[in-house]
């Protein structure tokens, strides 16, 4: 269940952070290497999980991954993404959609705007609709053209936009009532300003929900707490660490994740 925040920033148990070491695998993420070794779907899935479970995902925790590497990875993985993550027991799209629905007065009657930041191939958009946001205006945004192409085929978004979340978002301030960000912050650095951008594009009183893996959470805590302290947002709920990819042996009980939901300060 979601635990209640007290407005003083995330208070996650650091014992989880220390215990949650990432498996040490080393795989090149260049587009050339993916093509050279990706002769079958199974091989591509193995490459993807090995890259994701590598010691640093493009750098140590908090450094993120170069945008061109992330785009190449997901463009190559695109057709098999849903099959692989669902086989690994990935439930974050469902859980974050449910968290946002719990914060809406009445999800089926909600007609506001939602930004699905890091929409991928549309799993999170699908789950937002399934959670009750039938009448919401949902914008899906992602770095990967291939994943956006697949997302478009799901017919769950009102708009789709290719963008880099490490840059200023191409939306007016106070454009959205809610922001959802599922499984994406691992690939970004806190110094990118992405959380501040989420706040900027959210309307006062609006909600922002996202997850961060426990092996990366500590790198984001300072930014999260600073934004509480400066009045940007208020922590509403934060889960205990929970499975991220429970059926993937490189993750299982080694790497967990935490879901956090904030309200933009009025």
């Amino acid at each position: 269940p979601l635990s209640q925040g007290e407005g003083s920033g995330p208070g996650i148990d650091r014992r989880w952070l220390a215990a949650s070491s990432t498996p040490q695998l080393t795989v090149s993420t260049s587009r050339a290497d993916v093509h050279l070794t990706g002769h079958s779907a199974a091989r591509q899935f193995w490459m993807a999980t090995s890259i994701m479970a590598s010691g640093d995902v493009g750098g140590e925790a908090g450094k993120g991954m170069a945008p061109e590497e992330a785009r190449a990875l997901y463009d190559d993985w695109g057709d098999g993404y849903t099959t692989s993550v669902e086989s690994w027991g990935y439930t974050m799209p469902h859980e974050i959609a449910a968290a946002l629905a719990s914060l809406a007065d009445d999800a089926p009657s909600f007609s506001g705007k939602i930004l699905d930041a890091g929409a991928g191939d549309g799993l999170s958009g699908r789950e937002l609709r399934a959670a009750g946001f039938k009448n919401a205006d949902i914008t899906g945004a992602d770095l990967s053209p291939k994943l956006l192409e697949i997302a478009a085929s799901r017919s769950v978004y009102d708009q789709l936009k290719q963008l880099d979340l490490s840059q200023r978002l191409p939306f007016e301030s106070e454009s959205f009532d809610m922001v959802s960000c599922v499984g994406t912050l691992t690939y970004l650095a806190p110094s990118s300003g992405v959380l501040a951008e989420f706040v900027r594009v959210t309307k006062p009183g609006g909600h922002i929900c996202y997850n961060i893996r426990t092996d990366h959470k500590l790198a984001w805590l300072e930014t999260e707490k600073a934004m509480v302290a400066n009045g940007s947002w208020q922590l509403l709920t934060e889960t205990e660490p929970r499975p991220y990819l429970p059926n993937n042996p490189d993750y299982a009980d080694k790497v967990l994740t935490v879901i956090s939901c904030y309200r933009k300060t009025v």
Side-chain angles (χ1 to χ4, degrees), residues 77-90:
W77 190 13
D79 288 327
Y81 178 79
T82 292
T83 300
S84 53
V85 298
E86 289 187 343
S87 74
W88 297 331
Y90 185 56

Side-chain angles (χ1 to χ4, degrees), residues 156-232:
V156 294
Y157 294 104
D158 296 280
Q159 299 84 216
L160 286 166
K161 192 169 188 68
Q162 183 186 357
L163 54 76
D164 179 355
L165 290 173
S166 69
Q167 304 298 315
R168 180 179 172 87
L169 300 180
F171 304 111
E172 296 294 325
S173 297
E174 302 181 6
S175 294
F176 298 97
D177 299 278
M178 293 182 167
V179 174
S180 169
C181 185
V182 182
T184 302
L185 293 182
T186 298
Y187 302 95
L188 295 163
S191 60
S192 68
V194 61
L195 296 184
E197 278 296 283
F198 287 168
V199 169
R200 181 184 67 79
V201 302
T202 301
K203 297 176 183 179
H207 299 108
I208 301 163
C209 289
Y210 57 82
N211 72 297
I212 300 178
R213 284 171 22 185
T214 49
D215 57 329
H216 284 247
K217 180 68 173 176
L218 186 60
W220 290 84
L221 276 176
E222 182 178 353
T223 298
E224 291 175 318
K225 288 183 175 181
M227 290 174 60
V228 170
N230 69 20
S232 295

Side-chain angles (χ1 to χ4, degrees), residues 38-51:
H39 298 302
S40 69
R43 180 65 173 177
Q44 289 179 359
F45 298 165
W46 180 87
M47 285 282 292
T49 186
S50 297
I51 291 166

